[in-house]
Amino acid sequence: MLNISLPLRLQLSLIIVIGAALLKHHAWPYLAVYGAIAFFWAWLLRVHLPHLGKLLGTELLFLSLLALPLGWERASFLLVRSVICLIAMNSFLLTLPAHSFGIALKSLPLPLPLKENLLLAGQYLEILLSEVTRMQRSAQLRGLNGSAGWLRYASASMIGALYLRSLERAERVYTAMIARGYNGQLPIDSTLRPKERVALLAACAIAACLTISSYQLTVNS
């Protein structure tokens, strides 16, 4: 993977997502371009494809329940566009080093309360995924191998236990952060270098051209 800083990786991922999300409906050629960009982004970040596939499958299951009632023609475009956005963001999240979400988040020009909420949400998500991994390992030690065994193990009671364990651990982590002087800001600098700013501006220009052109294509047609 190229040496791309965390702030730049986050901002490029957001540019892909926002550009694709603002596309005109049924602008399939431009959606295909964004799809190619999203796959190139996933390849560039060297994301683990099996993990990406599992995550996309779970997310699309919920999205399809919301989109299919809108009609097949509208739902198909929304689902494809959602897949492209999810590929871009999941590729970033799956290749994000542990406990480094705050470093990437600090570079975004967002209000401080929103940054703090996003930072805590990312921290708690890492804790939840860590607890899921521990429970899966525990199930394997008990002889429940494979997805079917894990599904039997993850009964309603176990999901409740997972929530309680994650909540208790999250409270301990937050208390430890407060005890170490956390006040909503990370004591680090997370600024872009001049070359990264140029790359970011170029990406913004390309995304803007693609998205605006999708509306012109619809008007001309």
Side-chain angles (χ1 to χ4, degrees):
M1 181 176 66
L2 296 178
N3 185 19
I4 306 175
S5 65
L6 292 177
L8 183 60
R9 286 161 58 180
L10 173 59
Q11 295 188 31
L12 289 178
S13 300
L14 289 176
I15 288 173
I16 297 172
V17 170
I18 294 173
L22 293 178
L23 278 178
K24 183 72 176 178
H25 282 286
H26 308 302
W28 288 101
Y30 294 95
L31 189 62
V33 175
Y34 271 106
I37 293 174
F39 280 110
F40 176 74
W41 184 236
W43 173 82
L44 193 64
L45 295 179
R46 300 289 191 271
V47 64
H48 192 248
L49 292 180
H51 288 173
L52 179 62
K54 290 178 182 178
L55 195 56
L56 284 176
T58 305
E59 292 165 342
L60 284 178
L61 180 63
F62 290 101
L63 286 174
S64 60
L65 295 177
L66 299 175
L68 288 179
L70 301 175
W72 172 249
E73 186 177 1
R74 186 178 177 85
S76 59
F77 184 83
L78 291 176
L79 286 175
V80 174
R81 186 168 63 179
S82 300
V83 168
I84 293 171
C85 295
L86 289 172
I87 289 175
M89 284 311 299
N90 288 335
S91 299
F92 166 73
L93 293 174
L94 290 175
T95 55
L96 186 67
H99 310 300
S100 58
F101 181 65
I103 299 174
L105 185 64
K106 192 172 182 181
S107 65
L108 295 182
L110 296 175
L112 183 59
L114 182 57
K115 282 186 181 180
E116 184 177 7
N117 288 329
L118 290 174
L119 175 62
L120 293 177
Q123 182 72 32
Y124 295 156
L125 183 60
E126 288 184 5
I127 292 174
L128 178 63
L129 294 176
S130 174
E131 291 295 332
V132 169
T133 303
R134 293 174 61 183
M135 292 181 70
Q136 285 179 327
R137 189 178 301 115
S138 176
Q140 291 173 354
L141 293 175
R142 287 171 171 80
L144 299 176
N145 296 318
S147 58
W150 164 245
L151 289 176
R152 287 195 300 271
Y153 184 72
S155 60
S157 61
M158 295 307 298
I159 293 176
L162 171 65
Y163 172 75
L164 292 177
R165 288 172 57 177
S166 301
L167 184 61
E168 291 174 356
R169 188 176 166 192
E171 289 178 348
R172 293 199 302 271
V173 170
Y174 186 72
T175 303
M177 292 167 63
I178 295 296
R180 288 170 171 79
Y182 173 72
N183 59 357
Q185 297 187 23
L186 292 177
I188 57 171
D189 291 328
S190 183
T191 57
L192 296 174
R193 297 189 293 269
K195 290 183 179 179
E196 293 176 334
R197 292 181 186 276
V198 173
L200 191 63
L201 289 175
C204 288
I206 294 172
C209 290
L210 288 173
T211 303
I212 294 172
S213 298
S214 70
Y215 287 85
Q216 293 177 343
L217 175 67
T218 305
V219 171
N220 294 333
S221 61

